[in-house]
Amino acid sequence: MPLRSDWSARTCSLARGLDVLGDPWGSLVLREIFFGNGRFDAIKQRLEVADNVLSKRLGWLLDAGLLAQRPYQDGSRTRQEYVLTRKGEDALPVLNAIIIWAEKHLDAPNEVSHMKVIHTDCGQATLSADTCTNCGAQLTAANTSWHSLKRSDHPLPLAIAPPETRPTAETATPASPETEILA
């Protein structure tokens, strides 16, 4: 029996988006990758998740194109770590929205269980998922920090997609007029 339904072919954009980003474990894995924590054992330890659950979520995120693997040396052994792709980096506003909504509407179990979205350039917390409510700048992984009181006493910069996972001019697909978002 499958773990969940496949909504990838639904006619609703929300359903298709939830097919990729609606799984709590998948979103928590993305959180770890954004925090720069891309090695399997480190993610497993931080999330306190079983190997099979983590492997399945990492596989989904790889298949969906949100993550890529990059080799690293662990002593004499070559292993793989997980890094964001541009598509994964573009999921940041979704995660920011969940953080901001939870801080506004859900009680935290204790004082250190809070997380803020910070626009690094102006140093202020924001109440918007994609735009700094203090200075109006667009939020990106490169100019956003998350301040998790449980992790650190200061905001932590987010990881960005390495250049090799970003589309080149030859491989980038321009937005169609139907999907282009106008400012």
Side-chain angles (χ1 to χ4, degrees):
M1 182 161 97
L3 184 61
R4 63 183 184 94
S5 300
D6 178 359
W7 294 353
S8 62
R10 299 275 179 123
T11 58
C12 174
S13 298
L14 180 59
R16 290 190 313 274
L18 286 171
D19 191 57
V20 176
L21 296 172
D23 174 70
W25 283 119
S27 293
L28 291 172
V29 168
L30 282 174
R31 178 196 70 190
E32 290 307 306
I33 305 298
F34 271 109
F35 271 129
N37 192 15
R39 297 184 178 179
F40 187 93
D41 290 338
I43 298 169
K44 179 183 172 190
Q45 179 181 4
R46 187 73 197 185
L47 295 182
E48 299 177 355
V49 62
D51 284 359
N52 63 329
V53 172
L54 180 54
S55 292
K56 184 154 215 89
R57 281 7 181 245
L58 287 165
W60 285 349
L61 295 169
L62 286 166
D63 290 346
L66 277 73
L67 299 179
Q69 291 180 306
R70 179 172 60 189
Y72 72 94
Q73 287 301 124
D74 184 14
S76 61
R77 183 175 172 195
T78 300
R79 302 183 84 179
Q80 298 292 319
E81 67 181 338
Y82 298 90
V83 295
L84 293 163
T85 62
R86 181 69 180 148
K87 189 175 180 179
E89 200 176 297
D90 283 348
L92 179 63
V94 176
L95 300 180
N96 283 348
I98 294 168
I99 293 165
I100 292 165
W101 182 87
E103 284 293 325
K104 181 176 180 180
H105 296 288
L106 303 176
D107 292 331
N110 54 51
E111 287 305 309
V112 296
S113 296
H114 291 282
M115 194 154 123
K116 301 290 183 196
V117 177
I118 308 292
H119 177 224
T120 308
D121 294 348
C122 74
Q124 299 298 308
T126 183
L127 300 176
S128 170
D130 61 356
T131 306
C132 177
T133 51
N134 183 60
C135 70
Q138 180 180 355
L139 299 176
T140 66
N143 71 12
T144 301
S145 298
W146 285 340
H147 189 186
S148 168
L149 299 177
K150 210 170 172 183
R151 284 181 193 253
S152 174
D153 58 355
H154 59 279
L156 299 171
L158 300 182
I160 60 171
E164 66 267 17
T165 67
R166 293 178 176 271
T168 64
E170 295 81 42
T171 62
T173 21
S176 69
E178 299 84 36
T179 59
E180 187 173 337
I181 299 173
L182 302 175

